Amino acid sequence: MQCNALHEAGYDIVVYDNLSNSSHEAINRVSMLIGQPVEFIKGDIRDAESLKKIFSAHHFFGVIHFAGLKAVGESVAKPLLYYNNNVSGTITLLEVMKEHSVKNLVFSSSATVYGDPESLPIDESSKRSCTNPYGQRKLTVEHILEDLAVSDDSWNLIALRYFNPVGAHPSGEIGEDPNDIPNNLMSYIFQVAVGKLDKLIIFGNDCPTVDGTGVRDFIHVTDLAQGHVAALNYLDKQASLNEDSMTQNSVGFLPINLGTGKGTSVLELVSAFLDVSGQAIPYQFTDRRAGDIASRYASADKAKTLLGWQAELLITDMCQDTWRWQSMNPNGYNVS
Ligand code: UD1
């Protein structure tokens, strides 16, 4: 998804991934969609020597850093893995970037850094606190980036705080195919739709929300990808301004929410899914999930003002595109 958006925006890209939660087939499909092979290198961000080779072979403008593990349950069971991959890996990447004077970074952060928000919508100055190791490590990386920006004003570090990404490429060729058991709401809805599960278990109908069920800010992955392009464009513009005026105004550490600014409840999502797929989703209420927050949605003003970006796609698009991807690829990227 991201490769397509960057290619369309005119960027040349190199993809570096250890494929721990992806596959070559995804890269093949991206190449097919953009009409030329994507330069792909299999490697790990903790492997400094491998990174150095790539940075020596290319003249990069910047890095979009997605290389993080993201399962909350796994982060509780294997906290060291999350320190190692998500934190140490980021430090290694930053060290290699520094060595090669590449100082522009867009980091995948998460709305999880806000924990249980004190007020809604959540803007970027809201208090940050997390209760699980996955979220805490996102926050650790944000702290590292903040410290780095203070220590050296030539860094330009944008942390994009994603709200709840869903959807797939509109072609139906690219979508989410995790190795582990998916456990977010949209994947459960899909599993019920195709009969893998009897019913959706809804965690609570007594939340202080529009219908008692949890409210989230779902954002289409296409919009999310465009948000990264807008962030890179912003860094590019900043670099050009500095070049023209011979000044050195750095971006420093800049956190930006990527959300729609609109909350949708669990029941509203179930209803939208029925509208686009024709599949009714039987459900049953149970107790609220431990640690779940009732409602979370973004203030998306900063992204609009600074980056000129705003989400365009609707809940129906998110359901439609997820449904198309899942229907065309019942076994994900496993095409054999
Ligand atoms: C999850 C992650 C969080 C991550 C965020 C965005 C967990 C515990 N949290 O949170 O770290 O930053 O996604 O990607 O995994 N729901 C049901 N039944 C289900 C599944 C979910 O009712 O079977 C409800 C939940 O109670 C919640 C809403 O659906 O109200 C969304 O849940 P989910 O998709 O897990 O996202 P988050 O809770 O936002």
Side-chain angles (χ1 to χ4, degrees):
M1 288 289 305
Q2 190 59 63
C3 298
N4 293 55
L6 287 166
H7 175 76
E8 277 166 22
Y11 287 98
D12 291 328
I13 48 176
V14 176
V15 177
Y16 184 76
D17 193 327
N18 66 5
L19 297 185
S20 66
N21 200 16
S22 183
S23 77
H24 267 291
E25 178 59 16
I27 308 282
N28 294 343
R29 292 192 186 186
V30 171
S31 300
M32 186 262 292
L33 285 170
I34 67 178
Q36 65 185 64
V38 171
E39 184 169 352
F40 171 69
I41 295 147
K42 187 173 178 197
D44 195 294
I45 48 163
R46 292 164 292 185
D47 183 347
E49 292 315 309
S50 162
L51 284 176
K52 282 178 192 173
K53 262 192 222 152
I54 295 160
F55 275 76
S56 299
H58 296 83
H59 180 66
F60 290 127
F61 167 72
V63 173
I64 304 185
H65 173 23
F66 298 107
L69 300 169
K70 63 178 184 68
V72 174
E74 181 186 55
S75 77
V76 175
K78 300 177 182 171
L80 296 180
L81 180 63
Y82 278 67
Y83 275 98
N84 187 332
N85 189 88
N86 294 13
V87 179
S88 297
T90 301
I91 294 170
T92 303
L93 172 66
L94 290 167
E95 283 170 345
V96 175
M97 286 176 68
K98 185 175 177 205
E99 210 175 297
H100 291 81
S101 300
V102 178
K103 300 284 189 73
N104 297 312
L105 179 86
V106 178
F107 169 63
S108 295
S109 190
S110 167
T112 199
V113 300
Y114 296 119
D116 198 352
E118 282 170 350
S119 61
L120 294 167
I122 307 171
D123 71 28
E124 289 80 354
S125 63
S126 304
K127 206 177 94 208
R128 290 172 292 171
S129 74
C130 305
T131 49
N132 63 69
Y134 156 74
Q136 283 163 348
R137 298 302 71 83
K138 285 283 179 204
L139 202 44
T140 307
V141 173
E142 285 204 0
H143 289 315
I144 291 171
L145 300 181
E146 281 172 286
D147 291 344
L148 196 57
V150 170
S151 73
D152 171 354
D153 66 6
S154 62
W155 284 98
N156 305 294
L157 306 162
I158 297 184
L160 295 177
R161 294 178 180 153
Y162 310 165
F163 278 66
N164 287 55
V166 290
H169 192 270
S171 64
E173 295 288 349
I174 316 172
E176 194 180 20
D177 179 24
N179 288 340
D180 50 355
I181 300 158
N183 59 6
N184 61 33
L185 176 61
M186 186 63 111
S187 36
Y188 277 116
I189 290 179
F190 173 74
Q191 289 178 52
V192 176
V194 296
K196 281 190 192 162
L197 292 173
D198 292 345
K199 58 189 170 216
L200 176 72
I201 303 295
I202 298 184
F203 302 127
N205 60 351
D206 57 352
C207 302
T209 61
V210 60
D211 53 23
T213 64
V215 164
R216 295 291 183 274
D217 186 340
F218 298 99
I219 172 170
H220 196 297
V221 287
T222 295
D223 279 329
L224 202 72
Q226 291 303 339
H228 291 74
V229 172
L232 264 193
N233 288 346
Y234 179 82
L235 296 179
D236 187 35
K237 204 167 116 196
Q238 192 65 42
S240 305
L241 283 175
N242 284 342
E243 231 168 76
D244 290 349
S245 62
M246 307 281 283
T247 53
Q248 182 60 56
N249 289 317
S250 77
V251 169
F253 172 73
L254 182 61
I256 300 182
N257 289 342
L258 289 186
T260 64
K262 187 181 174 307
T264 300
S265 76
V266 175
L267 285 178
E268 286 169 340
L269 190 62
V270 166
S271 162
F273 195 83
L274 168 64
D275 288 347
V276 302
S277 68
Q279 299 285 315
I281 304 295
Y283 57 81
Q284 182 185 327
F285 293 113
T286 187
D287 292 343
R288 284 171 71 174
R289 192 168 59 176
D292 244 359
I293 52 170
S295 195
R296 182 177 70 199
Y297 52 92
S299 158
D301 294 348
K302 192 170 174 185
K304 191 173 178 191
T305 313
L306 278 186
L307 307 183
W309 171 92
Q310 64 183 342
E312 307 283 348
L313 297 168
L314 306 173
I315 286 290
T316 45
D317 301 307
M318 302 176 206
C319 293
Q320 185 80 63
D321 291 337
T322 306
W323 182 241
R324 187 181 301 109
W325 152 252
Q326 302 277 11
S327 309
M328 284 171 62
N329 305 275
N331 300 316
Y333 291 115
N334 191 353
V335 284
S336 57

